[in-house]
Amino acid sequence: MVNLHNHVLVLNVSSAKDILNNKILISQHIESGGIYAVAFQIESAFKMNTTDYEYSELHDWLESIEIPSFVIIGLNIDLELQRFIFMCDFRLIRTGLHMEMQNSKMNYQMDVQMQRDFALMVGKEYTKLVQEINKDVLSHEELLRYRIVNYILDDQRNMEEIYSFIEKIIYSKEIKQINLIKRCFNAYKQEGIEVTNKEGIRKETVQFCQLTINKYKDMVLAYEN
Amino acid sequence: MKIELEKISYEEKDAIGYIVINDPPANKMTPRFFLDMVEIVEKYIDVSKLKGIIIYGEGRHFSSGADVDKLIKVIGETTVVDESGNVKVYAKWYIRFIDTFDKLYKLDIPVISVINGCCVGSGFELALSSHIRICGKGATMGLPESTFGLLPGVLGSIRLTQLVGMSKAMELIFSGQLLNAEEAKACGIVEIIVGKRETLDYAERLMRYIISSGEKYDKACVKQYIKALEEEI
């Protein structure tokens, strides 16, 4: 099911295929400037069920879209679901849910791509975190504390609460600004955050100058009028 | 040695360089501040045999960030764009300023920011370019640039991402949310919170502890240094 509300496209999904099947539709909405965010709502068992090629296709696509992606999690997170939610920009989870840690130590259960996504998601504490997490499950509070999720929902079906968090992110921004901020983060995702070269640190500069120039044009125009 | 520039003063004492943002009360980062900062780093820090650097703001605040209208104007006037309005050549002074922040971050001696009061925008980006952030109670910090149509422009997005991970960094940068000291500590942005009158004293003690440990400084070990100092205290 697809819903469009206030520039936010919400899709109920239960597999990666559901997303891949809607990829063209979502991309068309993004290109037309019609949507500012996309949210994937998961309420029942989630299956990746993808070939390696499809997995990469989904991963690359989510790393390249120029609007933020949200996942709204309404069930306990198993390894299958971890693979998907780590690809998204923001994670919201219903209170009382947890993430399963099949082999206690996180790094033993994650493949290389997941480890990379996880490291990007939690930052420099990554190594310490994977050593520290030595439990069978992580509660919703722990997921928030470790920055694995961004927000805990009182009720996953309460769309107002979901939209309220999404609006905090996209509120009062023009689509061009959202695109340029996201482009900056996409570059970090694609090239890594341990940048040491000049080119690496210019990703932000490019988008910052572009936005500043746009503001400057508005300023000049306002002055002339 | 004490150097007094228009917006920054700089002093070396016991092999520690003190960079003081000196434009109270708000310590706004004007284009003049940017030039002063580049001069301090290129002319003094680059050539000194320092063992550490401490950065703080004169008065109650660290810095309320850039004067946005002036910044937009000066970047607008000094950046070259093509016919479609896309940036072709960046303003040289701006690139030098970014490289100055990057240089501070990459130094192999401890760089400590002492955060009191307001520390936002490019002020916060300067603090993020340090290796250690000592925060006074009641401080407020964050990157609100997106709320006025921009995004951080002095490496704030990459430094915050490295520090707290992309998910939290995106949340903070997109929303422009400001954090109080406790929230910043919970995210891992500041290392320790002390009374606002004790911040500089604490930073100097920590600096002396790191220098006197005799071991090669490693910015990945900041938490261990603070833990060891706390045990000593």
Side-chain angles (χ1 to χ4, degrees), chain A residues 120 147 173 188 193 204 210, chain B residues 85 155 157 162 164 166 174:
Chain A
L120 271 173
R147 303 189 290 273
K173 291 177 189 67
Y188 297 150
I193 52 171
E204 175 193 81
Q210 201 59 61
Chain B
L155 307 178
S157 66
Q162 287 166 337
V164 301
M166 188 163 288
F174 264 104

Side-chain angles (χ1 to χ4, degrees), chain B residues 7-226:
Chain B
K7 304 291 180 191
I8 296 181
S9 66
Y10 175 72
E11 190 171 14
E12 288 179 12
K13 280 188 287 189
D14 301 328
I16 299 170
Y18 290 80
I19 300 175
V20 185
I21 311 163
N22 192 11
D23 194 9
N27 290 324
K28 261 206 181 308
M29 293 188 170
T30 57
R32 183 68 249 172
F33 167 85
F34 297 149
L35 296 173
D36 286 358
M37 190 71 187
V38 171
E39 185 178 336
I40 291 294
V41 172
E42 288 183 358
K43 223 164 143 182
Y44 303 100
I45 289 172
D46 273 356
V47 297
S48 297
K49 288 198 168 25
L50 293 172
K51 290 184 176 168
I53 293 170
I54 293 178
I55 306 169
Y56 65 96
E58 183 65 44
R60 289 173 57 202
H61 302 289
F62 186 82
S63 168
S64 62
D67 185 327
V68 179
D69 284 345
K70 271 190 193 161
L71 185 71
I72 290 171
K73 190 168 178 285
V74 79
I75 288 191
E77 285 169 352
T78 52
T79 304
V80 181
V81 292
D82 64 17
E83 286 164 2
S84 327
N86 296 317
V87 178
K88 214 171 145 195
V89 183
Y90 300 103
K92 271 189 191 150
W93 67 269
Y94 170 57
I95 296 297
R96 272 177 83 196
F97 183 59
I98 294 172
D99 291 347
T100 299
F101 272 32
D102 190 41
K103 205 179 267 183
L104 283 174
Y105 181 76
K106 288 177 179 158
L107 285 173
D108 56 5
I109 55 170
V111 182
I112 303 179
S113 274
V114 173
I115 302 173
N116 275 317
C118 188
C119 174
V120 300
S122 43
F124 186 49
E125 291 178 287
L126 175 58
L128 289 171
S129 297
S130 313
H131 311 163
I132 304 168
R133 283 153 293 276
I134 308 295
C135 184
K137 283 178 186 157
T140 307
M141 65 208 79
L143 296 168
E145 288 86 345
S146 76
T147 60
F148 35 83
L150 300 174
L151 84 156
V154 205
L155 307 178
S157 66
I158 188 71
R159 297 294 172 236
L160 191 60
T161 301
Q162 287 166 337
L163 202 56
V164 301
M166 188 163 288
S167 196
K168 192 70 191 173
M170 280 180 81
E171 184 185 326
L172 293 173
I173 287 170
F174 264 104
S175 69
Q177 183 192 344
L178 298 182
L179 303 175
N180 63 33
E182 289 74 21
E183 289 166 332
K185 171 116 186 355
C187 293
I189 292 172
V190 301
E191 273 68 33
I192 192 158
I193 304 169
V194 296
K196 57 184 171 188
R197 291 182 201 283
E198 296 147 36
T199 45
L200 184 57
D201 182 51
Y202 191 94
E204 287 176 325
R205 283 161 88 171
L206 179 61
M207 184 66 85
R208 281 197 295 269
Y209 177 83
I210 297 171
I211 294 171
S212 65
S213 73
E215 287 170 26
K216 188 172 165 33
Y217 167 69
D218 180 355
K219 63 180 160 196
C221 298
V222 166
K223 280 193 177 151
Q224 284 97 304
Y225 295 133
I226 292 178

